[in-house]
Amino acid sequence: MYTELNSILNSGPDSFTQGEFILLSDRQSDASFLVHHFLSLYLRARCKVCFLGLVQSFSHYNAVSQRLGVSLTQAKEKGQLIFLEGLNESLTLLIPQKTDTGSEAMDFIRDPTVGLRRLYEFVRCSLQSSGGEEEDEWGPPVLLVDDVSVLLSLGVSAGAVLDFSHYCRATVCSQLQGNMVMLVRCNGEEEEDGGDDEGSELLLKGLTHQCSLTLNVRGLPTGYCRDIHGQVEVCWRRKEGDGQNTQKKLFQYKVHDKGASFFARGTSSAVL
């Protein structure tokens, strides 16, 4: 958890906005440090977290979290963290073993046309309270996905991923008053248009319309710099009458072993 980022977003383990869909994106850079920030933030806030880790192993996430002062192993043992390890599940489904049939949540790998209904059911069942005493000790539920664009490479259409996000947002953010954080990755320059209607660009645009807060990570326009790793554009979207109020702030950042520094670069505001 990065205290400077908490100050920028006006949030922390003891105080954060509920019902938010936070979208993380990167282009020619790596926004993984933001995934680790929000994971540690919500675990420190004693939220019940469902983490769909589609790109790294549990041991990787745990090693990074330990540097930030959080143990994912302990969180799993206490029932606070529900972790779906996409790499192992994918391998099990692609190379079936007699003793392990894999999780039904990832059944779309066998047949992408079935959509992500079972993955959504996994999220819903993981975060909905069972009414037991153990559930009462956790705060608002949180869904974290790293990264959702991997589903495209597994054969799922962008439309199906957007439907999955829509239903998760309705359940987690609206019904349960929890939060949702998703990372989507895009390749190439923002101005480029490859004409791929089923690609990550379409997914990014669709998710942007659904979310209330975006953090877009990009490389520096001037290229590599030893002291600055890139820039983050933070965009707040709030309904205002019949329109939407959008406020943007641009920061440069540098990631350290156990933290990150942010430097303000500019502010703009507009009403759409």
Side-chain angles (χ1 to χ4, degrees), residues 98-148:
K98 293 182 179 179
T99 58
D100 190 355
T101 58
S103 170
E104 290 186 353
M106 302 287 286
D107 269 2
F108 62 88
I109 292 179
R110 293 194 182 101
D111 182 9
T113 62
V114 302
L116 301 173
R117 180 183 299 272
R118 288 186 175 177
L119 186 60
Y120 163 73
E121 290 297 331
F122 174 85
V123 172
R124 184 183 63 81
C125 293
S126 297
L127 295 179
Q128 279 191 331
S129 174
S130 61
E133 294 182 1
E134 293 182 355
E135 295 291 337
D136 294 337
E137 66 176 303
W138 307 125
V142 172
L143 169 63
L144 183 61
V145 185
D146 179 25
D147 72 80
V148 70

Coordinates of all heavy atoms in Angstrom, one line a residue, residues 98-148:
K98 N -6.1 -37.1 -14.0 CA -7.2 -37.9 -13.4 C -7.6 -37.5 -12.0 O -8.8 -37.6 -11.7 CB -6.7 -39.4 -13.3 CG -6.4 -40.0 -14.7 CD -6.0 -41.4 -14.6 CE -5.8 -42.1 -15.9 NZ -5.3 -43.5 -15.8
T99 N -6.7 -36.9 -11.2 CA -7.0 -36.6 -9.9 C -7.5 -35.1 -9.7 O -7.8 -34.7 -8.6 CB -5.8 -36.8 -9.0 OG1 -4.7 -36.0 -9.5 CG2 -5.4 -38.3 -9.0
D100 N -7.4 -34.3 -10.8 CA -7.7 -32.9 -10.7 C -8.4 -32.5 -12.0 O -7.8 -32.4 -13.0 CB -6.5 -32.1 -10.4 CG -6.8 -30.6 -10.1 OD1 -8.0 -30.3 -10.1 OD2 -5.9 -29.9 -9.7
T101 N -9.7 -32.1 -11.8 CA -10.5 -31.7 -13.0 C -10.5 -30.2 -13.2 O -11.0 -29.7 -14.2 CB -11.9 -32.3 -12.9 OG1 -12.5 -31.7 -11.7 CG2 -11.9 -33.8 -12.9
G102 N -9.9 -29.5 -12.3 CA -9.9 -28.0 -12.4 C -11.1 -27.4 -11.9 O -12.1 -28.0 -11.6
S103 N -11.1 -26.0 -11.8 CA -12.3 -25.3 -11.3 C -13.3 -25.1 -12.5 O -12.9 -24.8 -13.6 CB -11.8 -23.9 -10.8 OG -12.9 -23.1 -10.5
E104 N -14.6 -25.2 -12.1 CA -15.6 -24.9 -13.1 C -15.6 -23.5 -13.5 O -16.2 -23.1 -14.6 CB -17.0 -25.3 -12.5 CG -17.2 -26.8 -12.3 CD -18.6 -27.1 -11.9 OE1 -19.4 -26.2 -11.6 OE2 -18.9 -28.3 -11.9
A105 N -15.0 -22.6 -12.7 CA -15.0 -21.2 -13.0 C -14.3 -20.9 -14.3 O -14.6 -19.9 -15.0 CB -14.4 -20.4 -11.9
M106 N -13.3 -21.8 -14.7 CA -12.5 -21.6 -15.9 C -12.9 -22.5 -17.0 O -12.2 -22.7 -17.9 CB -11.1 -21.8 -15.5 CG -10.5 -20.9 -14.4 SD -10.2 -19.2 -14.9 CE -8.7 -19.4 -15.9
D107 N -14.2 -23.0 -17.0 CA -14.6 -23.9 -18.0 C -14.7 -23.3 -19.4 O -14.7 -24.0 -20.4 CB -16.0 -24.4 -17.6 CG -16.0 -25.7 -16.8 OD1 -14.8 -26.1 -16.6 OD2 -17.0 -26.3 -16.5
F108 N -14.7 -21.9 -19.4 CA -14.7 -21.3 -20.7 C -13.5 -21.6 -21.6 O -13.5 -21.3 -22.8 CB -14.9 -19.7 -20.6 CG -13.7 -19.1 -19.8 CD1 -12.6 -18.7 -20.5 CD2 -13.8 -18.9 -18.5 CE1 -11.5 -18.1 -19.8 CE2 -12.7 -18.4 -17.8 CZ -11.6 -17.9 -18.5
I109 N -12.4 -22.0 -20.9 CA -11.2 -22.4 -21.7 C -11.5 -23.6 -22.6 O -11.0 -23.6 -23.7 CB -10.1 -22.7 -20.7 CG1 -9.6 -21.5 -19.9 CG2 -8.9 -23.3 -21.4 CD1 -8.5 -21.7 -18.9
R110 N -12.3 -24.5 -22.2 CA -12.6 -25.6 -23.0 C -13.5 -25.2 -24.2 O -13.4 -25.7 -25.3 CB -13.4 -26.7 -22.2 CG -12.6 -27.4 -21.2 CD -13.3 -28.6 -20.7 NE -12.6 -29.4 -19.7 CZ -12.9 -29.3 -18.4 NH1 -13.9 -28.5 -18.0 NH2 -12.2 -29.9 -17.5
D111 N -14.4 -24.2 -23.9 CA -15.4 -23.8 -24.9 C -15.7 -22.3 -24.7 O -16.5 -21.9 -23.9 CB -16.7 -24.6 -24.9 CG -17.6 -24.1 -26.0 OD1 -17.2 -23.3 -26.9 OD2 -18.8 -24.6 -25.9
P112 N -14.9 -21.4 -25.3 CA -15.1 -19.9 -25.1 C -16.5 -19.4 -25.4 O -16.9 -18.4 -24.9 CB -14.0 -19.3 -26.0 CG -13.0 -20.4 -26.2 CD -13.8 -21.6 -26.2
T113 N -17.2 -20.2 -26.2 CA -18.6 -19.7 -26.6 C -19.6 -19.7 -25.4 O -20.6 -19.1 -25.5 CB -19.1 -20.5 -27.8 OG1 -19.2 -21.9 -27.4 CG2 -18.2 -20.4 -29.0
V114 N -19.2 -20.5 -24.4 CA -20.2 -20.6 -23.2 C -20.2 -19.3 -22.4 O -21.0 -19.1 -21.5 CB -19.8 -21.8 -22.3 CG1 -19.9 -23.1 -23.1 CG2 -18.5 -21.6 -21.7
G115 N -19.2 -18.4 -22.6 CA -19.1 -17.2 -21.9 C -18.5 -17.3 -20.5 O -17.9 -18.4 -20.1
L116 N -18.8 -16.3 -19.7 CA -18.1 -16.3 -18.3 C -19.1 -16.4 -17.2 O -18.9 -15.9 -16.1 CB -17.3 -15.0 -18.2 CG -16.3 -14.7 -19.3 CD1 -15.7 -13.3 -19.1 CD2 -15.1 -15.8 -19.1
R117 N -20.2 -17.1 -17.5 CA -21.3 -17.2 -16.4 C -20.7 -17.9 -15.2 O -21.0 -17.5 -14.1 CB -22.5 -18.0 -17.0 CG -23.6 -18.2 -16.0 CD -24.7 -19.1 -16.6 NE -25.3 -18.4 -17.7 CZ -26.3 -17.6 -17.7 NH1 -26.8 -17.2 -16.5 NH2 -26.7 -17.0 -18.8
R118 N -20.0 -19.0 -15.4 CA -19.5 -19.7 -14.2 C -18.4 -18.9 -13.4 O -18.3 -19.1 -12.2 CB -19.0 -21.1 -14.6 CG -20.1 -22.1 -15.0 CD -19.6 -23.4 -15.3 NE -20.7 -24.4 -15.5 CZ -20.5 -25.6 -15.8 NH1 -19.3 -26.2 -16.0 NH2 -21.6 -26.4 -16.0
L119 N -17.6 -18.1 -14.2 CA -16.7 -17.3 -13.5 C -17.4 -16.2 -12.7 O -17.0 -15.9 -11.5 CB -15.8 -16.6 -14.5 CG -14.6 -15.8 -14.0 CD1 -13.7 -16.7 -13.1 CD2 -13.8 -15.1 -15.1
Y120 N -18.5 -15.7 -13.2 CA -19.3 -14.7 -12.4 C -19.9 -15.4 -11.2 O -19.9 -14.8 -10.1 CB -20.4 -14.2 -13.3 CG -21.5 -13.5 -12.5 CD1 -21.3 -12.3 -11.9 CD2 -22.7 -14.2 -12.3 CE1 -22.3 -11.7 -11.1 CE2 -23.7 -13.6 -11.5 CZ -23.5 -12.4 -10.9 OH -24.5 -11.8 -10.1
E121 N -20.4 -16.6 -11.3 CA -21.0 -17.4 -10.2 C -19.9 -17.6 -9.1 O -20.2 -17.6 -7.9 CB -21.6 -18.7 -10.7 CG -22.8 -18.5 -11.5 CD -24.0 -17.9 -10.7 OE1 -24.0 -18.1 -9.5 OE2 -24.8 -17.2 -11.3
F122 N -18.7 -17.9 -9.6 CA -17.6 -18.0 -8.6 C -17.4 -16.8 -7.8 O -17.2 -16.8 -6.6 CB -16.3 -18.4 -9.3 CG -15.1 -18.5 -8.5 CD1 -14.8 -19.6 -7.7 CD2 -14.2 -17.4 -8.3 CE1 -13.6 -19.7 -6.9 CE2 -13.1 -17.4 -7.5 CZ -12.8 -18.6 -6.8
V123 N -17.4 -15.6 -8.5 CA -17.2 -14.3 -7.8 C -18.4 -14.1 -6.9 O -18.2 -13.7 -5.7 CB -17.1 -13.2 -8.8 CG1 -17.2 -11.8 -8.1 CG2 -15.8 -13.3 -9.6
R124 N -19.6 -14.3 -7.3 CA -20.8 -14.0 -6.5 C -20.8 -14.9 -5.3 O -21.0 -14.4 -4.1 CB -22.0 -14.3 -7.3 CG -23.3 -13.9 -6.6 CD -24.6 -14.3 -7.5 NE -24.6 -15.7 -7.8 CZ -25.1 -16.6 -6.9 NH1 -25.6 -16.2 -5.7 NH2 -25.2 -17.9 -7.3
C125 N -20.5 -16.2 -5.4 CA -20.6 -17.1 -4.3 C -19.4 -16.8 -3.3 O -19.6 -17.0 -2.1 CB -20.5 -18.5 -4.7 SG -21.9 -19.1 -5.7
S126 N -18.3 -16.3 -3.8 CA -17.2 -16.0 -3.0 C -17.4 -14.8 -2.1 O -16.9 -14.7 -0.9 CB -15.9 -15.8 -3.8 OG -15.5 -16.9 -4.5
L127 N -18.2 -13.8 -2.6 CA -18.3 -12.5 -1.9 C -19.6 -12.4 -1.2 O -19.7 -11.5 -0.3 CB -18.1 -11.4 -2.9 CG -16.7 -11.3 -3.5 CD1 -16.6 -10.1 -4.4 CD2 -15.7 -11.1 -2.4
Q128 N -20.7 -13.1 -1.6 CA -21.9 -13.0 -0.9 C -21.8 -13.6 0.5 O -21.3 -14.7 0.7 CB -23.1 -13.6 -1.7 CG -23.6 -12.7 -2.8 CD -24.9 -13.2 -3.4 OE1 -25.1 -14.4 -3.4 NE2 -25.7 -12.3 -3.9
S129 N -22.3 -12.9 1.5 CA -22.3 -13.4 2.9 C -23.2 -14.6 3.1 O -24.3 -14.7 2.6 CB -22.7 -12.3 3.9 OG -22.8 -12.8 5.2
S130 N -22.6 -15.6 3.8 CA -23.4 -16.8 4.1 C -24.2 -16.6 5.4 O -24.9 -17.5 5.8 CB -22.4 -18.0 4.3 OG -21.5 -17.8 5.3
G131 N -24.0 -15.5 6.1 CA -24.7 -15.2 7.3 C -24.1 -15.8 8.6 O -24.6 -15.6 9.7
G132 N -22.9 -16.4 8.4 CA -22.2 -17.0 9.6 C -21.5 -15.9 10.4 O -21.3 -14.8 9.9
E133 N -21.0 -16.3 11.6 CA -20.3 -15.4 12.4 C -19.0 -15.0 11.8 O -18.5 -13.8 12.0 CB -20.1 -16.0 13.8 CG -21.4 -16.3 14.6 CD -21.1 -16.8 16.0 OE1 -19.9 -17.0 16.3 OE2 -22.0 -17.1 16.7
E134 N -18.3 -15.9 11.1 CA -17.0 -15.6 10.5 C -17.2 -14.5 9.5 O -16.3 -13.7 9.3 CB -16.4 -16.8 9.9 CG -16.0 -17.9 10.9 CD -15.4 -19.1 10.3 OE1 -15.3 -19.1 9.1 OE2 -14.9 -20.0 11.0
E135 N -18.3 -14.5 8.8 CA -18.5 -13.5 7.7 C -18.7 -12.1 8.3 O -18.4 -11.1 7.6 CB -19.7 -13.8 6.8 CG -19.5 -15.1 6.1 CD -18.5 -15.0 4.9 OE1 -18.3 -13.9 4.5 OE2 -18.0 -16.1 4.5
D136 N -19.2 -12.0 9.5 CA -19.5 -10.7 10.1 C -18.3 -9.9 10.4 O -18.4 -8.6 10.6 CB -20.3 -10.9 11.4 CG -21.7 -11.5 11.1 OD1 -22.2 -11.3 9.9 OD2 -22.3 -12.1 12.0
E137 N -17.1 -10.5 10.5 CA -15.9 -9.8 10.9 C -15.3 -9.0 9.7 O -14.4 -8.2 9.9 CB -14.9 -10.7 11.5 CG -14.3 -11.8 10.6 CD -13.3 -12.6 11.2 OE1 -12.3 -12.1 11.7 OE2 -13.4 -13.9 11.2
W138 N -15.7 -9.3 8.5 CA -15.1 -8.7 7.3 C -15.9 -7.5 6.9 O -17.1 -7.4 7.1 CB -15.0 -9.7 6.2 CG -14.3 -10.9 6.5 CD1 -14.7 -12.2 6.4 CD2 -13.0 -11.1 7.1 NE1 -13.8 -13.1 6.9 CE2 -12.7 -12.4 7.3 CE3 -12.0 -10.1 7.5 CZ2 -11.5 -12.9 7.9 CZ3 -10.8 -10.6 8.1 CH2 -10.6 -12.0 8.3
G139 N -15.2 -6.5 6.3 CA -15.8 -5.3 5.8 C -16.4 -5.5 4.4 O -16.7 -6.7 4.0
P140 N -16.6 -4.4 3.6 CA -17.3 -4.6 2.3 C -16.5 -5.5 1.4 O -15.2 -5.6 1.4 CB -17.2 -3.1 1.8 CG -17.1 -2.3 3.0 CD -16.3 -3.1 4.0
P141 N -17.2 -6.2 0.5 CA -16.5 -7.2 -0.4 C -15.8 -6.4 -1.5 O -16.2 -5.3 -1.9 CB -17.6 -8.0 -0.9 CG -18.8 -7.1 -0.9 CD -18.6 -6.3 0.3
V142 N -14.7 -7.0 -2.0 CA -13.9 -6.4 -3.1 C -13.6 -7.5 -4.1 O -13.2 -8.6 -3.8 CB -12.6 -5.8 -2.6 CG1 -11.7 -5.4 -3.7 CG2 -12.9 -4.7 -1.7
L143 N -13.8 -7.2 -5.4 CA -13.3 -8.1 -6.5 C -12.1 -7.4 -7.2 O -12.2 -6.2 -7.5 CB -14.4 -8.2 -7.6 CG -14.0 -8.9 -8.9 CD1 -13.5 -10.3 -8.6 CD2 -15.1 -8.9 -9.9
L144 N -11.0 -8.2 -7.3 CA -9.8 -7.7 -7.9 C -9.4 -8.6 -9.0 O -9.3 -9.8 -8.8 CB -8.7 -7.6 -6.9 CG -7.3 -7.0 -7.3 CD1 -7.4 -5.6 -7.8 CD2 -6.3 -7.1 -6.1
V145 N -9.2 -8.1 -10.2 CA -8.8 -8.9 -11.4 C -7.5 -8.4 -12.0 O -7.4 -7.3 -12.4 CB -10.0 -8.9 -12.5 CG1 -9.6 -9.9 -13.6 CG2 -11.3 -9.2 -11.9
D146 N -6.6 -9.3 -12.2 CA -5.3 -9.0 -12.8 C -5.0 -10.1 -13.8 O -4.6 -11.2 -13.5 CB -4.2 -9.0 -11.7 CG -2.8 -8.7 -12.3 OD1 -2.7 -8.1 -13.4 OD2 -1.8 -9.1 -11.7
D147 N -4.9 -9.9 -15.1 CA -5.6 -8.7 -15.7 C -6.7 -9.3 -16.6 O -6.6 -10.3 -17.2 CB -4.7 -7.8 -16.4 CG -4.1 -8.3 -17.7 OD1 -4.9 -8.2 -18.7 OD2 -3.0 -8.8 -17.8
V148 N -7.8 -8.5 -16.7 CA -9.0 -8.9 -17.4 C -8.7 -9.1 -18.9 O -9.4 -9.9 -19.6 CB -10.1 -8.0 -17.2 CG1 -9.9 -6.6 -17.9 CG2 -11.5 -8.6 -17.5

